[in-house]
Amino acid sequence: RVLADTYTLYLTTHNFHWNVTGPHFNSLHAMFMTQYTELWGSTDVLAERIRALGHYAPGSYAEFSKIATVPDVPQTPPKAMEMVRILVKGHETVSRIAREFIPVAEEAGDDPTADMLTARCTVHD
């Protein structure tokens, strides 16, 4: 679920990068690019960890839409400050979901996954 939520947040952030308008365009456009670049890189790390654990990583919109808790990007781009609010909520959701899985990884003795999820929480917080 962390991968699906991260990918959905990546898509939303990239969409907002393309569609932001208004007086804060330059700063938000740059901030969104920094964020979607980091999110994109993290999807690979998450997927590779899933593979290292012996599972296939989900990788289609259909699969992600079934398990993601972060809502899909709005069809009509919202105003700039609403974009920021949506992204904050998305980051909070990914962090909350990752935190739910840390104890599961720890109980299984899977320190690399617990560490990776802790690092993801740091980014999203």
Side-chain angles (χ1 to χ4, degrees):
R1 194 163 21 150
V2 177
L3 175 59
D5 282 330
T6 300
Y7 194 84
T8 303
L9 184 58
Y10 156 76
L11 286 174
T12 300
T13 307
H14 209 152
N15 178 285
F16 289 173
H17 168 79
W18 293 328
N19 292 301
V20 67
T21 59
H24 302 290
F25 171 82
N26 285 331
S27 60
L28 290 177
H29 189 73
M31 182 181 75
F32 294 161
M33 184 164 73
T34 299
Q35 289 182 359
Y36 79 68
T37 301
E38 193 286 327
L39 288 164
W40 176 251
S42 71
T43 61
D44 194 53
V45 172
L46 291 163
E48 288 180 357
R49 186 69 197 143
I50 292 168
R51 290 297 299 134
L53 293 171
H55 305 283
Y56 290 109
S60 70
Y61 294 120
E63 288 177 285
F64 287 151
S65 69
K66 289 177 189 173
I67 57 178
T69 57
V70 171
D72 196 6
V73 65
Q75 285 189 314
T76 302
K79 301 281 187 202
M81 290 300 107
E82 180 63 10
M83 289 177 174
V84 172
R85 189 195 67 72
I86 290 168
L87 294 178
V88 166
K89 188 173 179 182
H91 282 283
E92 290 171 346
T93 299
V94 175
S95 182
R96 180 179 47 78
I97 296 301
R99 283 189 206 298
E100 290 175 8
F101 285 103
I102 292 170
V104 175
E106 290 173 338
E107 287 172 18
D110 184 358
D111 293 335
T113 298
D115 290 346
M116 179 193 65
L117 293 171
T118 301
R120 294 307 313 148
C121 290
T122 301
V123 169
H124 293 289
D125 290 345

